[in-house]
Amino acid sequence: MKPLRLTLALAAWLAAPGLALAAPDAAYLPPEPLVLQAIAVHPDVQAAAARASRAEAEARGLAAGPHEPTLSLMSQQRRVQGGLDYREYEAQLSRGVRLPGKARLDREIGRLGREVAGLQLADAEHQAARLLLAQWMEWLRAEAGVAQAQAQLALVQRDRDAIARRVAAGDAARRDLDSAQAAAAQVRAQATAAAARCEAARIALRTTFPSIPLPERAPALPEPVADDTGAQRHIDHIVGRSHEIGAAEREAERLERAALRARAERRPDPSVGLRWLDERGGEERSLGVVVSIPFGGALRSAYADAQRASAEAGSAVAEGTRRLIQREAEQTVRQADAAWRLWRDSWQALEAVRASTGKVRRAYALGEAGIAELIAAQRQEQDSALAEAEARANALEAALLIRVDAHELWHDAGDNDA
């Protein structure tokens, strides 16, 4: 991440919350440079990066092979009865030799292991992006709830004060003031609950992604827009770019190669070496070639069978992963459409309730409606406003989740070709 780009993005975010940086629909999201940096330092991503480094080292080890030179040295004192004593020496240098085909399989296993770890790293980044989206939208949802509760609290307190003045002037009954005070207390309790929810969301974001600063004022949520892109296209993108599927398929291939390698290991590798002898104080010296050939038995056969079973399990897991991602992709796309429709209905309901509440308020001012009717109407409006705000955030989050799962948001550009 370039420091200058990151600094400018951070300054723009803190100075003008809600400023569109990349696209109009990204106005309520944190700057992408900050997001990518936060994802990169997330503990799960760091752990996946370490596992990728381990896979790289293991691949180098597999390419080098399991055999290394072994040097054996021996010194002994020979005593001949009635004769001389001799110092004798023996040395042997040997090394195992991989049979043809094993080295190729080892290299393929190492390569596939690197690919699996790389895909798992990319999937860890993807999961971190999903987590950030969920926590960010929960914070915006909670902030919207606080704003709605505070606005409603200000309204009912204003009505309570107005009724109190009317009671003092003898234009209203005491029970009207009692009802207004009860309504204000209830809304105040809801405002307290909304503030607690908002604080919990802030804590979750601050602890999970500490490198993303939260602005003092939450950006406003725009109206969701209907998606005219075909649902199947979204589904195909999500499935086609899934690193989880790719990792499962590569792991199945790696296990298949491992099964072939275990089968080849039923013919053990021989060891070849040189042996040097110095006997009778140097009077006798010899240099020879040593070849050791192990014989495979039940252990190697059982290991080969176990690896074959693992390969079959890996293929089944890969197929299951593909079906799971396919199902989740379809559910994500369908739920996004349902969430947009729910918001549309909630917005229309809110508009109707606001119009009705306005009529009740005017009737109350004219003395044609009682305080109970006004309180009930205002309560219905508050509930409708909260439902609309919740539906708005849900619809936006559902649409963004499609983009995240399709690797079109908060991913490196190369991920789109995955």
Side-chain angles (χ1 to χ4, degrees):
M1 185 67 60
K2 296 182 179 179
L4 178 59
R5 181 185 176 191
L6 182 60
T7 302
L8 292 175
L10 176 58
W13 173 244
L14 294 177
L19 176 66
L21 296 175
D25 60 352
Y28 53 96
L29 299 177
E32 187 165 356
L34 291 180
V35 170
L36 296 179
Q37 182 197 44
I39 289 174
V41 298
H42 190 274
D44 291 347
V45 176
Q46 293 287 297
R51 286 191 289 269
S53 298
R54 174 183 174 178
E56 177 66 31
E58 290 177 344
R60 295 198 307 270
L62 286 169
H67 305 302
E68 294 181 333
T70 301
L71 176 64
S72 300
L73 299 174
M74 185 182 70
S75 175
Q76 66 182 16
Q77 184 75 27
R78 182 187 295 272
R79 294 182 178 181
V80 180
Q81 188 174 3
L84 301 174
D85 293 345
Y86 301 99
R87 175 72 68 180
E88 297 182 341
Y89 302 95
E90 179 178 337
Q92 179 174 313
L93 179 64
S94 61
R95 185 182 188 279
V97 180
R98 275 187 293 186
L99 294 177
K102 291 184 178 182
R104 174 182 57 81
L105 288 172
D106 285 339
R107 288 192 296 270
E108 291 181 358
I109 292 171
R111 173 183 59 82
L112 290 169
R114 284 199 309 268
E115 293 181 6
V116 169
L119 289 167
Q120 289 175 340
L121 171 58
D123 187 60
E125 294 172 341
H126 173 68
Q127 297 303 326
R130 290 176 114 246
L131 177 61
L132 175 55
L133 173 63
Q135 292 189 347
W136 184 265
M137 294 305 298
E138 173 59 21
W139 170 63
L140 292 181
R141 193 179 290 112
E143 287 280 3
V146 169
Q148 290 288 346
Q150 290 177 345
Q152 184 66 18
L153 180 59
L155 178 62
V156 296
Q157 287 177 342
R158 186 187 66 187
D159 289 343
R160 180 201 59 193
D161 295 341
I163 294 172
R165 290 192 295 269
R166 292 181 61 183
V167 170
D171 293 337
R174 178 67 190 184
R175 65 175 178 273
D176 290 345
L177 180 59
D178 293 339
S179 298
Q181 289 176 337
Q186 191 171 14
V187 174
R188 189 179 301 110
Q190 292 176 342
T192 301
R197 176 187 179 187
C198 186
E199 182 60 22
R202 275 184 170 270
I203 292 173
L205 262 175
R206 188 169 60 245
T207 56
T208 308
F209 299 97
S211 62
I212 296 183
L214 293 180
E216 291 298 326
R217 178 174 60 86
L221 293 178
E223 292 186 1
V225 179
D227 188 0
D228 57 358
T229 304
Q232 190 59 46
R233 182 180 178 184
H234 286 313
I235 294 171
D236 292 342
H237 284 174
I238 293 173
V239 175
R241 296 169 180 171
S242 170
H243 291 126
E244 192 173 353
I245 294 177
E249 291 177 344
R250 294 295 189 281
E251 177 64 9
E253 293 182 34
R254 190 191 69 81
L255 291 173
E256 178 64 29
R257 299 298 192 283
L260 294 175
R261 182 66 172 83
R263 180 179 179 182
E265 194 62 22
R266 295 176 65 180
R267 293 185 298 122
D269 295 333
S271 295
V272 179
L274 293 176
R275 186 180 185 189
W276 175 73
L277 300 174
D278 186 316
E279 298 181 336
R280 297 181 64 83
E283 292 181 6
E284 297 180 9
R285 295 180 177 177
S286 62
L287 180 66
V289 177
V290 179
V291 178
S292 299
I293 303 177
F295 290 94
L299 176 62
R300 293 174 184 267
S301 178
Y303 180 71
D305 292 342
Q307 288 296 103
R308 169 51 53 190
S310 295
E312 294 174 356
S315 298
V317 168
E319 177 61 26
T321 301
R322 173 170 287 278
R323 294 183 184 183
L324 174 63
I325 299 301
Q326 177 76 30
R327 185 191 72 198
E328 291 181 348
E330 293 186 12
Q331 290 175 340
T332 298
V333 173
R334 306 303 178 188
Q335 287 173 359
D337 179 67
W340 180 83
R341 295 178 185 276
L342 177 59
W343 166 80
R344 181 193 60 187
D345 296 342
S346 299
W347 179 79
Q348 292 174 350
L350 176 59
E351 290 297 304
V353 169
R354 280 175 175 168
S356 176
T357 302
K359 295 177 181 179
V360 174
R361 183 173 291 278
R362 287 192 296 271
Y364 176 76
L366 296 174
E368 298 175 355
I371 185 63
E373 294 178 77
L374 178 60
I375 292 175
Q378 291 180 162
R379 171 56 54 83
Q380 186 180 12
E381 181 178 353
Q382 180 192 16
D383 293 343
S384 297
L386 288 174
E388 189 276 336
E390 190 87 6
R392 179 185 295 243
N394 291 343
L396 291 171
E397 182 179 0
L400 288 171
L401 183 58
I402 292 177
R403 295 180 58 193
V404 170
D405 283 351
H407 297 184
E408 296 170 356
L409 178 68
W410 295 349
H411 288 75
D412 291 333
D415 288 349
N416 291 341
D417 301 327

